[in-house]
Amino acid sequence: MPPSPQSILDQMRKALLLQRDGKPARARPIYEKLLKQDPGNAEVTSLLGLCFLEQGYPKRAVALFERAIFLAPGEPRYRINLIDALEALGDTEALLAASSQAANAIPDPALLHRQARLLNRAGRLPEALAAYDAALRAAADAVPDNLDMLVEFGQTLILAGKHEEAVRVLHFAVSTAPDHRLALLSLADALNQLHRGDEALKLLLGRSDAFEAETDAAYRLSLANALWSTGDYARALAETDRAIALGIVGSDARLLRGKALYHLGRFPEAVKELEQALAIDPARHETAMTLGLACLASGDLARGWKLAERRVEANLKGLIQRRFSRPTWQGEPLAGKTLMIWDDQGIGDVLRSASMFAELADQAGRLIVECHPKLVLLLARNFPQMTVRQRGHEGLNALMGGEDFDVQCAFGGLPALLRPDIAAFPATTATLTADAERVAALRERAPLGTPRPKVGLSWTSGNRVGQRGRSYLALEDLLPLLAIEEVDFVLLDYTDRTAEIAALQERTAFTLHRWDDLDLFDDLETVAALTSCMDLVISANTSVADMSGALGVPTWRFGPVTGTILLGQENPPWAPATRYLRLDPEHPAADIVPQLAADLRNWLGRR
């Protein structure tokens, strides 16, 4: 006689109590007996699978969960149990397949959420984002109950580089739950990624009541990130130290501490800190790249260039990446071979790289330079021994057999091969020359042809986002220079400064010579000619200074203590005619102006 339904329920309750008390070995025989009596009971099948899983037999559990799903395909719990068992087995492909099958079979928020997490962990971010979106839509009527899922969605958007979308999602999460700790920290992270550190800082300080602010290590580290993003490196360092003292571990804190030390100009300490961060996570490209930069700033070029090239894997913002079928040049002999080199960053980087073109042309059977269109005429005239052309579509070139070179190399990879130490830098003052006819034509314009000293000025960049803005000036800051009457000042800035100049001239009388018919943005031959008319160039850390440096025009370049300009030297080895004035990282850039004014008066007195 078969057992009654009530008897089965009583036995199940007994087994469940044993299981919940952590005694799956005693619960198992009960479930096994019940299954002999009722082989089609999906719930008992699943519970027996849980017993095996809890006892460390995931393979046997998998078979039982698959059987339970077969018996009751519409029950999401059985599919979640199967996913747990496959995860315990470590079978990633089977795990992803099962989660996908489950999510397709049942549009259940929990299943979709689980699939999103697994895809995220596997690094399949586009699919993870789609799964999070589907899960949130499935839970649309209960979003306040699924805020953790919403925050995970925002975090995954950050990982995928979709920072604007992440800010929108996380702003919604914070508006729904203003005290949600993880939502606040994630929103601050997204804002920092967008160089909106001031907003992140305001958010964290304004909502400090949502944290145990004095003891929350993650909060202190997030605060340090926001301070670093705004360029307040000293306070960022102090907050990072607080986070570490509170027990935070991992490479994040060490990396941030290293970056703060680097930007403060404390390079030996930065190297030591970044080495620790890299030891914790050797695969983290940002850490390796930053360590490379710190090594370069310390004068360790051989190690620095190699590590700094991890910028490619780090997908550094603004970096141009190209793919070719021809191999990358690694420094092997080039006799009889064609080398193609190509620009991977900005105009200034190309102008500095030009100091290596002649020696490469001497080594290679043929040298091809691919660059931004605005550079082609200037470089082709200066280096007739090489082929200069604007960069093309490398994928199409490979497809059509258009790769007319044997090896290729990005400009950023050249210093490691040609400038392994300071002794490898030539003492040549000028790498480029301006077109003589253009120079002569410009000297017909007053005051360019007069004997009065002419000083070219550039005080800012077209990109002042985030920390970059701290290294630039406003025109108003330069009024102490512009008041020096013995000088004719000339605008060399390549961006349109008309509005800034006009606004200041309404309040203050000064003269800054400029010509509306000269294109200083795209016509680099004219830029070179105008720069060559200067007796001195005073410039922020922009391509204006790179142009004057390449032309050998005496230049005073002011900028941060960081970067690949100084390479451990007092002045840039790339441009022997350039003097570098370091901005104090703990003070506003405008603090350099009194020194510029005093030095300019001394310069005039020596002429």
Side-chain angles (χ1 to χ4, degrees):
M1 178 177 176
S4 68
Q6 185 60 48
S7 174
I8 291 175
L9 284 174
D10 290 342
Q11 290 298 307
M12 284 182 65
R13 286 194 189 99
K14 180 180 178 182
L16 273 171
L17 286 172
L18 289 167
Q19 201 168 359
R20 288 170 183 171
D21 286 343
K23 301 171 182 177
R26 293 178 60 186
R28 259 176 55 191
I30 300 173
Y31 290 136
E32 288 169 341
K33 181 179 178 182
L34 287 171
L35 278 181
K36 286 181 180 178
Q37 297 168 348
D38 184 8
N41 192 317
E43 185 66 17
V44 173
T45 303
S46 178
L47 289 169
L48 179 58
L50 285 172
C51 284
F52 279 112
L53 185 58
E54 289 161 5
Q55 288 187 281
Y57 302 109
K59 192 170 183 179
R60 297 183 70 178
V62 165
L64 286 162
F65 293 141
E66 287 175 341
R67 169 71 178 164
I69 292 168
F70 173 78
L71 293 170
E75 176 52 63
R77 287 184 296 114
Y78 304 159
R79 296 181 184 272
I80 291 174
N81 291 341
L82 174 61
I83 291 168
D84 286 338
L86 289 169
E87 194 165 10
L89 275 173
D91 190 341
T92 302
E93 289 305 315
L95 177 61
L96 290 171
S99 69
S100 176
Q101 185 180 38
N104 290 334
I106 308 172
D108 177 77
L111 276 173
L112 289 163
H113 185 195
R114 189 64 178 273
Q115 182 193 24
R117 281 182 164 178
L118 292 170
L119 289 166
N120 193 346
R121 193 186 310 162
R124 291 161 59 170
L125 297 182
E127 295 169 82
L129 289 174
Y132 274 119
D133 183 67
L136 288 163
R137 290 179 188 277
D141 295 333
V143 168
D145 298 325
N146 288 276
L147 277 175
D148 289 346
M149 189 199 310
L150 189 67
V151 173
E152 286 179 30
F153 183 34
Q155 292 173 323
T156 307
L157 285 165
I158 293 172
L159 289 174
K162 298 178 180 292
H163 301 122
E164 293 283 3
E165 294 176 52
V167 166
R168 287 194 292 272
V169 167
L170 294 165
H171 260 308
F172 176 76
V174 169
S175 67
T176 304
D179 293 333
H180 197 294
R181 175 180 174 277
L182 196 54
L184 289 165
L185 292 175
S186 301
L187 177 55
D189 185 18
L191 290 168
N192 282 327
Q193 297 288 343
L194 289 168
H195 304 290
R196 291 159 60 180
D198 52 345
E199 295 177 57
L201 192 58
K202 183 178 179 181
L203 173 75
L204 292 168
L205 293 175
R207 296 313 324 275
S208 61
D209 57 335
F211 305 89
E212 294 291 338
E214 295 304 311
T215 57
D216 189 329
Y219 172 73
R220 304 317 308 191
L221 188 63
S222 185
L223 198 59
N225 263 307
L227 288 163
W228 184 85
S229 186
T230 61
D232 195 343
Y233 306 120
R235 287 179 64 200
L237 180 61
E239 286 296 344
T240 306
D241 285 342
R242 287 186 69 177
I244 292 171
L246 287 168
I248 201 158
V249 295
S251 66
D252 285 351
R254 293 295 172 189
L255 171 58
L256 182 58
R257 193 171 194 278
K259 291 197 297 185
L261 289 165
Y262 169 65
H263 281 272
L264 287 167
R266 294 161 58 176
F267 302 129
E269 294 174 79
V271 167
K272 183 178 179 181
E273 195 69 41
L274 291 163
E275 285 174 339
Q276 290 186 49
L278 194 60
I280 295 170
D281 186 358
R284 190 162 184 174
H285 303 304
E286 182 189 4
T287 305
M289 178 190 73
T290 310
L291 174 58
L293 294 175
C295 289
L296 290 172
S298 301
D300 185 354
L301 273 57
R303 185 185 185 203
W305 291 129
K306 182 178 179 180
L307 284 166
E309 273 303 280
R310 293 273 289 273
R311 68 201 173 102
V312 177
E313 292 87 354
N315 199 22
L316 186 67
K317 188 176 177 62
L319 183 69
I320 299 168
Q321 298 207 41
R322 303 176 65 182
R323 293 186 177 89
F324 302 96
S325 63
R326 302 300 168 91
T328 300
W329 182 52
Q330 303 288 347
E332 66 274 15
L334 290 168
K337 292 184 178 180
T338 297
L339 167 67
M340 191 278 285
I341 56 176
W342 49 279
D343 62 338
D344 54 345
Q345 293 194 68
I347 299 298
D349 297 279
V350 178
L351 294 171
R352 287 196 299 278
S353 296
S355 66
M356 297 179 276
F357 291 169
E359 58 197 90
L360 280 173
D362 288 342
Q363 291 182 38
R366 181 187 178 208
L367 178 64
I368 301 171
V369 171
E370 289 196 357
C371 57
H372 192 285
K374 69 171 72 176
L375 282 158
V376 171
L377 289 177
L378 176 68
L379 296 181
R381 180 179 54 76
N382 273 275
F383 300 99
Q385 70 272 44
M386 67 187 193
T387 301
V388 184
R389 64 196 186 199
Q390 75 178 67
R391 57 175 177 253
H393 190 291
E394 67 281 357
L396 182 62
N397 287 346
L399 183 66
M400 304 300 291
E403 290 187 345
D404 54 346
F405 46 87
D406 300 299
V407 287
Q408 49 78 29
C409 187
F411 287 172
L414 294 176
L417 303 172
L418 300 177
R419 301 290 183 262
D421 50 46
I422 292 299
F425 283 82
T428 308
T429 302
T431 300
L432 303 176
T433 60
D435 179 53
E437 292 185 7
R438 293 194 187 218
V439 173
L442 285 174
R443 290 195 186 278
E444 296 296 320
R445 303 183 182 214
L448 298 179
T450 67
R452 275 168 55 90
K454 286 161 284 297
V455 175
L457 289 181
S458 174
W459 56 90
T460 189
S461 166
N463 180 5
R464 296 180 64 107
V465 173
Q467 299 162 336
R468 289 175 60 97
R470 290 176 57 87
S471 299
Y472 301 129
L473 303 175
L475 176 58
E476 186 173 7
D477 297 327
L478 290 177
L479 284 176
L481 264 73
L482 295 168
I484 299 174
E485 297 180 352
E486 300 89 341
V487 172
D488 288 322
F489 291 102
V490 177
L491 177 68
L492 291 182
D493 209 316
Y494 51 83
T495 50
D496 186 3
R497 297 293 158 199
T498 303
E500 185 180 6
I501 293 169
L504 188 57
Q505 284 179 332
E506 287 182 1
R507 297 182 281 118
T508 308
F510 66 90
T511 300
L512 181 59
H513 297 281
R514 58 198 172 97
W515 297 269
D516 291 340
D517 63 321
L518 299 183
D519 179 2
L520 301 186
F521 187 79
D522 284 321
D523 187 356
L524 293 191
E525 281 280 50
T526 292
V527 172
L530 181 61
T531 304
S532 290
C533 293
M534 300 298 107
D535 298 292
L536 174 68
V537 170
I538 300 176
S539 174
N541 206 27
T542 72
S543 62
V544 171
D546 287 308
M547 176 65 83
S548 59
L551 291 165
V553 176
T555 301
W556 296 350
R557 179 175 187 154
F558 60 88
V561 296
T562 56
T564 58
I565 303 296
L566 293 174
L567 303 176
Q569 309 303 300
E570 282 299 310
N571 294 306
W574 303 101
T578 295
R579 171 192 174 210
Y580 197 90
L581 289 83
R582 293 160 176 78
L583 298 174
D584 187 327
E586 298 188 63
H587 291 85
D591 285 4
I592 198 72
V593 174
Q595 181 184 348
L596 290 173
D599 289 353
L600 184 57
R601 292 187 187 279
N602 290 334
W603 178 79
L604 287 168
R606 295 194 302 269
R607 284 177 61 84

